[in-house]
Structure formats: C-alpha cells, structure tokens
Amino acid sequence: MIRLVFIGIFICFSSIIAQTHNFDVHKISAEITPNLENESVSGELSFSFNTSQDTDSIFLDAKNMAAQIMGSDIKVSLNISEDKLWFVGDFEVDETYNINFSYQAQPKQTLYFVGFEDDAKTNDQVFTQGQGKYTSHWLPSIDDMNDKIEFDLSIIVPKFYGALANGKLIEQWKENDSLSRWTYDMKKPMSSYLVAISVGDYKREIQQSNSGVDLHQYLLKKDSLYLEPTYRHTKQIFDYLENKIGVDYPWQNYKQVPVRDFLYAGMENTSLTIFSDAFVVDSIGYFDRNYVNVNAHELAHQWFGNLITETESKHHWLHEGFATYYALLAERQIFGDNYFYHKLYQYAESLKSASDNGKGEKLLKPNASSLTYYQKGAWALFMLNQIVGEDVFDRAVQIFLNKYAFQNVTTDDFMNEVKALTNVDLSDFEQQWFKQSAFQAEQALEALETSLFIPEYFELIAKRPLDISKKIGAIETAFDFPINIYIAQEAVSQLASEPANDEVIQLYQSAFNTGNLWVRQAISESLTEIPLALKSAYETLLQDQSYQTRENAFLHLWMNFPKDRKRYLNQMQNQDGFRDKNLKQLWLTLNLATPDFQADKTTQTYQELAQYTSPKYRFQIREHAFGYLYQIDAFSDQVLINLLDGCFHHTWRFRDFCRQLLKTLLKNPTYQSQINNLKPKLNDKALTYLNKIQ
Ligand SMILES: [Zn+2]
C-alpha cells in the first residue's frame, strides 16, 4: 500500500449529490479578507449565472454565513438558510444575470489558520482544503462538482504576508499602509472543491517546463534552505507527465506550497497544489521522506480530476487511479524499473490481503476505500495497458481528455475511447477489474513476472521458511554487486530470525559492507538484538545519511549496550534529524532514561522534551513528544493541558491520537486525579470533553 507512514493517506472523497439544480453558475469573482485575529473571513462576491427554465430562486452553497446584497441587474432579495444563500427574483430562461453581495463567516472547517500560537509572524499560515471539506464553508460557491465555474479571487492580507490562489497573479496592490491585495485570474472553469488560497511569508522560485509553463515552488522564507531537496525532480516530473499524457497542461501556471498541519499528504487544487510540510526536507531527509510521489500524484490530477471530473463518486477512480498510476510512471523515470514493479507488487499484496479477508471492493463502488480507488484503480490501468498495448492506451487517454476537457465524465466515457481504437474484446477486463470485488491476484502476479527482477525476487521470498543452511548461497548472492535493494532487503529480513552463529555473522558483515543505505537501513530495522561481533559495524549506522537509520541504530545500541550509553548520547547530541525532530527527541528521552548521565540537568532536559507537546509546534513534533513521555511515564500538568488541547486539533489523525492517549491515562488512578485537579485551568471545550469521557 502507498501508505505514508508518518502521514496517512491521500485524501479520500466523500459522497456527492448529483446535480439537480436548474441554473448554471459561470463565473465567481470574489475579494476575500481572512481575519487572522479571530480566524474568520469576510468578502465581496459577484457571480453570473443563467437558468434552464423560468424560476423565482437560485442559490449558492454557503455554510453558516451572513450576507448582504450590494447590487444586481435585476431586483433580487436574499434568504439565508444554514447551508445556502437563496437569491429570490424573477429569473427568465436563457438570460444571464449578475449579482453582487458581501458576506462574513467563521468557518468551522476547510479554512485553517496555523502558526499563530507563537510571536513569530514568519511561521504563520492560512490555507484551505476543499475536497471532502467543502469550499462553501469559506466561499459561497456550488458544492456539486458537476457545475464548473471560473473563479477569479483577490485576497487582502497584512502587508507582511504573500497570498496565493488559483490561476495567475495579475495584480499585487498596496491597499493601504498595512494591507495588500493579491489578485488572481483564471481562464477556465473548475469544480468548487478545487478552489484554494494560502497565505504566508513565502519565498518563491520559478522554473519553466519544456513547454513554457511557469512552475512556482513556494516555501516559507525561514525554510529557504530546504527548497532544492524538497522540490527535487519537479521539472522532470512535469515534463515527463505532460509529454506522456499528450495533452498540454491545461492551466496558466503550476504552483506548489507546503503548509504546516495539513490534513492529508497533498491536495491538487487547480494550479495550486497544497501539501504537507512533512515533505519539506534537507538532503538527508530526502532519502526517507521525499515529496516525489506526492508531487507527481497531485500534478497528474491537474488533468485527471481537474480538467476532466467525475460525475459522481463511483467514478472516483478516474481521479485517484489515474493519479496513482501516472505518479508511478513518473517515478519509474526517476527511480527505475525495479522501483516501479516493486511498488506494483506492494499494491497487489495489499489488495490481495484485503480481498482474501473479504474486504475486496468493486472499483466502481460509490464511496469505496482509498485502497480501491487508488491502488486497485492503478492496477486496472496497468492491466489495461498490458492488454491493449501502450500505443492504444496512450492515444485513448489523449482523445478522452481532449474530448471531455472542462467537463464531467464517467468510466464508460473513458472505455468507449479505448474500445474505438482496438479490436480486443474488453468485456472480460471490465467484468474482472471494474465489477468484481475480489482482486485478480493471479493475473496481477503473472503480469508482474514480465519484469526481469520480480521472478528472482519471488524466488528468494519462497525461501523464507527454509533453514539457513539451504539458502546461504542465495542470501550471499543478494549482497553481491550490483545490489538490487529489494532482493537485498528481503535477504536481510530473512537473517533476522536466525541465531547469530558464525555463518550468520558473516552474512551480516557482507550486508554492512555493501555500503548501500537501503540495505543498511534494513539491518537497523530488523537486527534489534545486536551480537557483540557486529557491535562496531552496527555503530557505523549512526553516521549513515539517513535520519531513520540513525534513529533505529541509536535506540538499539542504547538498549543493547548499557555501558556505552553515555558514549552514544555524546555522539548523538545536537542532531535534530527530520523536521519532526526524531533524533533530538529520542536523544532527550534516552537522556532522561539514563539517570547517571547529566543528572544535574534532568529537569532542563525534561522541560525541553515536554515543551514539544505545546500547540506552538507542528503536530508531528507534538505526537512524537507525547509518545516518548508516555514511554517514560512522565506527564507534567502542562503536558496534560497540551494533550487536552490536541484533542481538538483539526488534523483528525493527531486528534484521535491525543484522545486515545488521554483515555489510556485516565485508566491510571494517579493520572486520573492529576487530570481532574487541572479542571480549574481548562477552557470550556476541554472541560466539557473531559467530563463527557469519564
Ligand atoms: Zn489523489
């Protein structure tokens, strides 16, 4: 599965309602002012529409908004309900009308303000997440993705910040001494869930694609040094995808911006991808947590999802299956064939396991899981490609996109273009890959064996149950140059269950000596009881160019060799690691668990670890800190207050983590009374929640 261990999943789409209204909105122009002090938004909006029949009312979706008419070319009055603004008037068929109004909202979701807990304005960010959350929480629009609208947004922000929106920046204007206005223009229509803004103290670098499209790469100014590793391969990915898809990139430019505490890995807002700042890496971090896959995935959506859009959720694989498959194709250019086939194999394993457990789903099932839309969708496309051949497949995709550009589509619309180009009977394919819940594992494995390396890989996997004496040659060969990292990693994992006799030690030595970072990382993960004979080799892992390997090695060495703990702590001091400070936090934790080391500073060390639970930090840092403090069983009052704060975080995964941890702590009588003693210090929300769960 494509699971991003530290983030979770790409966004999964929730249900939609088929278009039922009798009017068509063409254009929305809005001037938006996010209020940074109280996390509200106000704006002035004008929109144009026509109706398919005479009618006395039309609406815009608008959740919990106040609004006032400012002008219109026909007499209208406004009725406001909880989720709509109703415009009442005498609207005649085929006439085009314009209405102008102002609005205010205090969005409960979809518009997020982060980094305002500290004094540094350089950390502040505002961003939106439309899909599954609904743009109508901050911008009156049409939630139904079948109504495609041209959106032109202006954003007014304090002068210190920059503002991004869909389309091209056409004017940057100083509103007054303290505010500036950023005006963006779109030329083409899109569904409302793809509208986005982001505000922050950004630095920008522009590259140009081979076709002349501007590729804007944004980053908070304070993170400038991370720009190159974070965006590595961006131009290569863009040029490859535009060429492979065979249809010009449909929008005026392509902007990408990482934001703190994002809800998913990335979101493909039209011409403005927003992604999690967990992918902001230095050159070492790039090795374990690079943005390449998400980068390619969100870019592919600019065609699959944004240019053509599903009519309803049962066709959601037309977005996610295509984005997953084309991202893999782009990665194949960067990381090679073995990477490509290994990834497909991993997808197949997840799909087979779900299917074997009775959790298989039809690809065309409405509201299916992301495993189905993403991985099964990608597999269906890989198989279709095998069956009809790459030429037919590529041409069909090109015709499909051109024919339905800026429209909504179904699976049949795509398959009809494939069928028009081939004599191959595709009824079996459609039956097996679209309509069956079970995953076609045998077909899939057969298709994978067309790769050169997969049969060899399977051969080694088949040796898992064998005694070491019967596979020693195969494992030895796996560490010979040139290394195939997947085969070598498999060999390392098979060694982990063996007793550490001379033969096994010798094999591990060979694995260390490959010097391959992936192979060495596999050792750091699976060899947790370190034989004395491998101690010095293992210690060299502390210097590998991988923060993950260093973390694994640091922990395992500290556990295995108590007499050397001080030495390891000295060696690993002053390293942060990833941006979630994995090495720093492990160091603080192990320091606290090593009483004779810097004993006089214990309090300060604790304070340093404890402060990482504060809302001032991104949720990944906080989650690590809570986890470590749980392991050493040391929650101060302030940490518990911070934990209660986390129970209301907008990122559901972190929120659930905090809630689960709080419930666990409440089962411990000591913590239960400590938590209850904090009640006078809690705000109403936290107090109500606490009373509810116990
Ligand atoms: Zn996606």
Side-chain angles (χ1 to χ4, degrees):
M1 181 171 155
I2 195 167
R3 210 161 68 88
L4 300 157
V5 179
F6 54 104
I7 291 188
I9 49 165
F10 293 100
I11 119 133
C12 177
F13 180 64
S14 59
S15 68
I16 64 149
I17 312 144
Q19 183 172 12
T20 49
H21 49 262
N22 57 5
F23 59 94
D24 179 24
V25 178
H26 310 300
K27 188 164 174 168
I28 291 182
S29 303
E31 186 179 84
I32 296 151
T33 307
N35 187 332
L36 311 184
E37 266 82 54
N38 67 2
E39 305 193 353
S40 67
V41 62
S42 59
E44 285 180 25
L45 185 151
S46 71
F47 70 109
S48 61
F49 63 95
N50 69 346
T51 63
S52 54
Q53 62 193 77
D54 291 353
T55 183
D56 59 5
S57 67
I58 61 115
F59 66 85
L60 291 179
D61 291 304
K63 305 276 188 319
N64 304 306
M65 287 190 186
Q68 305 79 32
I69 298 279
M70 295 172 68
S72 69
D73 43 18
I74 178 177
K75 190 171 173 291
V76 285
S77 60
L78 180 63
N79 283 342
I80 301 177
S81 71
E82 207 174 292
D83 60 356
K84 285 183 175 53
L85 303 176
W86 289 94
F87 301 90
V88 181
D90 229 344
F91 305 120
E92 286 172 18
V93 65
D94 289 340
E95 284 286 325
T96 298
Y97 297 99
N98 288 284
I99 299 178
N100 202 346
F101 65 94
S102 63
Y103 74 95
Q104 303 80 36
Q106 181 92 47
K108 287 204 188 89
Q109 55 172 46
T110 315
L111 179 67
Y112 301 96
F113 298 75
V114 296
F116 291 90
E117 295 83 359
D118 56 29
D119 296 331
K121 285 160 83 176
T122 49
N123 290 330
D124 301 349
Q125 281 183 299
V126 179
F127 65 88
T128 55
Q129 169 55 37
Q131 189 171 25
K133 294 288 169 189
Y134 300 119
T135 295
S136 59
H137 281 273
W138 64 275
L139 179 71
S141 50
I142 298 287
D143 286 340
D144 181 353
M145 56 171 72
N146 289 284
D147 196 346
K148 293 205 172 190
I149 301 166
E150 186 189 324
F151 286 90
D152 294 330
L153 301 188
S154 296
I155 302 145
I156 296 177
V157 289
K159 240 171 40 181
F160 177 78
Y161 304 102
L164 311 177
N166 313 86
K168 189 173 177 184
L169 180 68
I170 51 168
E171 194 185 28
Q172 187 189 337
W173 191 62
K174 208 175 88 176
E175 187 86 355
N176 56 38
D177 279 351
S178 57
L179 297 174
S180 61
R181 188 177 66 190
W182 301 67
T183 303
Y184 285 83
D185 169 64
M186 284 283 289
K187 295 277 183 228
K188 299 287 186 185
M190 62 176 166
S191 305
S192 296
Y193 78 92
L194 295 164
V195 180
I197 63 168
S198 179
V199 175
D201 177 28
Y202 294 128
K203 173 195 166 72
R204 173 180 76 175
E205 210 143 281
I206 303 183
Q207 288 183 304
Q208 214 169 48
S209 74
N210 288 348
S211 58
V213 177
D214 283 340
L215 312 175
H216 301 229
Q217 299 158 6
Y218 287 88
L219 209 56
L220 285 177
K221 274 188 194 138
K222 69 183 178 70
D223 295 332
S224 297
L225 288 173
Y226 297 94
L227 201 128
E228 186 282 324
T230 299
Y231 284 107
R232 196 172 289 170
H233 301 300
T234 295
K235 178 175 147 51
Q236 185 185 354
I237 293 167
F238 191 99
D239 288 335
Y240 170 77
L241 283 182
E242 189 174 43
N243 184 49
K244 177 73 178 166
I245 292 166
V247 175
D248 288 349
Y249 175 76
W251 318 102
Q252 293 125 296
N253 58 27
Y254 187 51
K255 304 177 287 303
Q256 301 185 78
V257 62
V259 300
R260 178 182 138 177
D261 292 348
F262 195 50
L263 293 82
Y264 307 99
M267 175 64 204
E268 69 274 19
N269 314 294
T270 302
S271 78
L272 175 57
T273 284
I274 294 179
F275 64 98
S276 163
D277 74 353
F279 294 110
V280 174
V281 289
D282 60 17
S283 276
I284 298 178
Y286 173 90
F287 179 75
D288 291 302
R289 297 186 179 177
N290 64 65
Y291 175 53
V292 173
N293 181 271
V294 179
N295 191 342
H297 180 104
E298 308 308 342
L299 176 61
H301 274 312
Q302 300 296 326
W303 289 268
F304 305 107
N306 301 9
L307 178 61
I308 53 100
T309 308
E310 70 199 37
T311 55
E312 55 181 315
S313 96
K314 74 184 234 188
H315 305 295
H316 194 46
W317 81 282
L318 292 174
H319 298 193
E320 299 303 347
F322 275 79
T324 304
Y325 180 63
Y326 277 84
L328 266 194
L329 293 179
E331 284 189 292
R332 185 180 191 166
Q333 303 303 306
I334 297 164
F335 302 127
D337 281 354
N338 291 350
Y339 175 92
F340 175 77
Y341 285 107
H342 186 257
K343 259 288 166 49
L344 280 172
Y345 166 69
Q346 286 182 316
Y347 293 175
E349 283 286 283
S350 306
L351 287 159
K352 182 176 181 306
S353 140
S355 182
D356 290 350
N357 291 318
K359 291 187 179 142
E361 290 176 329
K362 291 175 199 162
L363 191 54
L364 301 188
K365 182 181 172 213
N367 301 315
S369 68
S370 46
L371 181 66
T372 300
Y373 289 141
Y374 291 65
Q375 280 81 22
K376 197 173 188 181
W379 255 103
L381 292 173
F382 177 69
M383 290 306 295
L384 183 60
N385 204 313
Q386 303 285 109
I387 294 167
V388 301
E390 197 172 341
D391 280 356
V392 167
F393 182 90
D394 287 353
R395 259 193 302 145
V397 168
Q398 188 184 33
I399 293 168
F400 168 63
L401 289 171
N402 281 325
K403 186 166 170 181
Y404 296 101
F406 308 106
Q407 296 175 40
N408 294 80
V409 287
T410 64
T411 301
D412 279 345
D413 293 333
F414 169 61
M415 288 306 294
N416 288 340
E417 299 310 327
V418 181
K419 288 172 192 168
L421 296 174
T422 181
N423 296 323
V424 180
D425 179 7
L426 292 173
S427 49
D428 278 356
F429 168 80
E430 290 181 301
Q431 180 60 33
Q432 290 164 350
W433 288 91
F434 293 164
K435 294 174 186 161
Q436 274 188 22
S437 306
F439 177 64
Q440 308 295 313
E442 254 176 63
Q443 262 189 54
L445 292 182
E446 215 172 281
L448 281 180
E449 293 199 3
T450 55
S451 121
L452 290 176
F453 115 86
I454 288 285
E456 206 186 324
Y457 182 57
F458 285 174
E459 219 173 280
L460 187 58
I461 288 176
K463 292 189 165 56
R464 279 179 191 171
L466 295 187
D467 191 83
I468 184 77
S469 61
K470 299 208 171 72
K471 57 186 178 188
I472 210 159
I475 290 182
E476 234 167 6
T477 316
F479 303 137
D480 283 348
F481 188 79
I483 299 287
N484 176 308
I485 56 173
Y486 307 106
I487 289 174
Q489 283 178 321
E490 172 63 26
V492 168
S493 81
Q494 291 192 24
L495 283 180
S497 53
E498 298 297 332
N501 59 31
D502 286 354
E503 270 173 341
V504 170
I505 300 276
Q506 192 54 47
L507 289 169
Y508 269 120
Q509 290 287 10
S510 307
F512 275 113
N513 290 340
T514 60
N516 183 291
L517 289 179
W518 290 113
V519 179
R520 291 169 59 89
Q521 183 167 86
I523 301 174
S524 79
E525 266 158 16
S526 58
L527 185 60
T528 53
E529 281 172 38
I530 307 165
L532 210 52
L534 292 173
K535 184 181 173 193
S536 60
Y538 207 98
E539 285 172 348
T540 64
L541 295 172
L542 292 174
Q543 291 162 47
D544 271 18
Q545 296 295 300
S546 155
Y547 294 132
Q548 192 56 59
T549 302
R550 288 183 197 177
E551 181 188 329
N552 300 339
F554 184 22
L555 176 64
H556 295 147
L557 285 164
W558 186 90
M559 285 165 61
N560 277 264
F561 305 109
K563 286 192 179 136
D564 294 298
R565 285 177 179 175
K566 277 189 192 177
R567 184 160 61 83
Y568 297 136
L569 285 166
N570 280 328
Q571 186 180 346
M572 298 305 285
Q573 195 164 6
N574 303 324
Q575 291 195 43
D576 271 1
F578 297 119
R579 278 162 51 104
D580 63 9
K581 300 187 186 289
N582 68 323
L583 291 178
K584 167 66 97 186
Q585 294 205 40
L586 178 59
W587 186 88
L588 291 167
T589 307
L590 296 183
N591 193 319
L592 288 167
T594 311
D596 58 332
F597 183 72
Q598 295 190 345
D600 58 325
K601 288 187 182 163
T602 303
T603 309
Q604 196 189 326
T605 308
Y606 177 79
Q607 287 303 331
E608 201 178 339
L609 181 59
Q611 57 140 358
Y612 288 134
T613 63
S614 141
K616 280 186 195 167
Y617 292 93
R618 57 172 55 87
F619 78 84
Q620 295 93 340
I621 293 180
R622 300 177 69 188
E623 190 172 318
H624 264 312
F626 283 127
Y628 280 135
L629 289 167
Y630 178 70
Q631 285 181 34
I632 59 172
D633 193 23
F635 288 86
S636 67
D637 285 359
Q638 188 55 50
V639 170
L640 291 169
I641 289 172
N642 291 343
L643 181 63
L644 268 152
D645 170 90
C647 292
F648 304 98
H649 199 271
H650 65 258
T651 306
W652 62 267
R653 210 185 65 114
F654 177 61
R655 181 173 66 230
D656 286 358
F657 170 89
C658 292
R659 290 182 174 191
Q660 204 52 52
L661 180 56
L662 181 65
K663 281 179 190 159
T664 307
L665 293 183
L666 282 169
K667 285 180 193 145
N668 172 328
T670 314
Y671 281 129
Q672 190 183 34
S673 78
Q674 191 185 347
I675 291 166
N676 283 323
N677 287 339
L678 290 172
K679 281 183 176 174
K681 290 186 181 170
L682 299 180
N683 61 29
D684 285 352
K685 200 159 62 169
L687 198 57
T688 312
Y689 179 69
L690 190 56
N691 288 333
K692 198 181 86 186
I693 59 168
Q694 42 172 4

